Amino acid sequence: MDRRKFIVNGYGLTSGLLLAGNLQALMPAGRDLQAKYSKKYSHRLPLSDHHYQRTCGYVEETPVSAYNWAPDSAYEDFQDIKFGIRLHWGIYSLLRLRGESWPYLQLLPEEKQTYQELYKSWYPGGFDADEWVNFFAESGAKMFAFTSKHHDGFSMFDTNARVKKRVNWLAPGGPAIEDCDLAYSIMETPFKRDIVKELTTAAQRKGMKVDLYFSHPDWYDSDFRPYNYHPLQVPDSATIAVVGKNKTPEIEDPKKYFAKAGLVIKPNPSKEEVTRMMARHRLQLEELLTKYGHIDMVCLDQWLGPEVWPVLRDTMLHLRKISPQTMFRARGIGNYGDYYTPEGFVPGSKENSDTPWFVIHSLGGSFSYEADEQKYKGASWVVKNLVDAVAKGGNFMAGIGPDGNGQFHPAAIAQLKETGKWLKLNGEGIYATRARGADQWKEGDHIRFTRSKDNRAVYAFSYEWPGEQLVLKTVRPPKGATIRFLGFSEALKWKYDSAKGLIIAISPEWRDKFRGAANLTYGLRIEMA
């Protein structure tokens, strides 16, 4: 079936959910499409991306003509960042759960009820926004991503959106949907302080960019059933929540997936519940983009489903109008996204995608608080992954989480501050750089390259001490060019051999000049003009 007819007839007008004002957006794009694609990027996610695979069956490949991505200036700023810190903090931190709120799905009914009540006594007295942001800056980060709301539905900001239906997991006769009227947010804790406001204010004072994470699904609000592994499934789960081009059910075997917790089936959501769900979803995103000054990025996560995609698409059109400079992560919105996030790995090739990307990788055993010091991977791991990502044209985020009191593990602090020390010496070859052309981003397993945006310098990074001679085959400086170690002013002697390439001489006394963090990876600046 034609993709556009599929959108309109299959999940648009017949669903009763498509907002009337969006009809024009479904018209063929024509010349407007050509204008959009004259930008630097094709806005095409890698076919291998997990979240793309989950939505490509109903999210159109080519965005509707009324849609605009962020401008080139926002993309340029995004690609200048290079290093950031990813923060997961929420109710799950009180229980020190690894895997953020995901373990909630496997909790027994009484455990789920206890989890939902934890906010009533939560007072994270160790939280200090300025202290956090100063720590991020000392770590060399140019941005941070913060969880405004994870899948469990708890909001870490002052929201006017209200939850009207939730689950009573201990109701007589089994879990039951009950009426309620609350925000389920940090403002209803004894703490009563808007965490997002304090962090964004501190970041803006420091000149640090902000990325606000927001989960599409919400496991506290029963209106969101059964989307995206919601703990409440429904008789029509297999058709309401489907994924991919084959329209397979999101949870192919719910009884197996919820084996420990027990499968809970409730009636299909009513039209009123679905409308209320999407209105609350939109309101919260609108709040994040209008209450806290300019937000550089919004880190959307997971997806909803084909039945509500027309409304989510309309929400994206709305958000673009109120915050055109904001970069949106592609999760749940396919090629409407401005950037995507390889999770837990650095792509093997810089041609992985021409959509800007930001690797997200946990420093500890998961993105949430890690109590085991041995699971923190070390500053060397951060630096090597950062250099590898930047050489390929991407960015890198190290993920950590504070404990329930708002304090980070000493190992996380020490390792990231060590990273910051390295960046003070080598940042010139990292921040605001670009990848070299073709496959010239590396030589062998231990050498990575970046370049200045004006092509006046090439930066070479060696994961290992280069010894008394470093030979580079793909770099040919002009006669009289200066080559030096980053962080040092002294010039190194060099020559160019047509057969061997660039030969840089490194006298033995140089080895003693590198101490502490300087030894994480060795960077050189090679003058090219």
Side-chain angles (χ1 to χ4, degrees), residues 94-124:
L94 289 165
L95 302 176
R96 295 192 172 185
L97 294 179
R98 283 184 186 158
E100 306 79 60
S101 63
W102 283 102
Y104 175 83
L105 294 177
Q106 293 298 339
L107 297 180
L108 299 173
E110 57 269 26
E111 294 172 324
K112 282 189 172 76
Q113 193 68 25
T114 298
Y115 186 107
Q116 290 185 171
E117 301 293 323
L118 286 172
Y119 76 97
K120 293 180 178 179
S121 60
W122 192 19
Y123 192 91

Side-chain angles (χ1 to χ4, degrees), residues 221-234:
D221 189 336
S222 65
D223 287 347
F224 281 74
R225 70 187 189 279
Y227 294 108
N228 206 271
Y229 305 96
H230 199 285
L232 297 184
Q233 293 297 298
V234 301

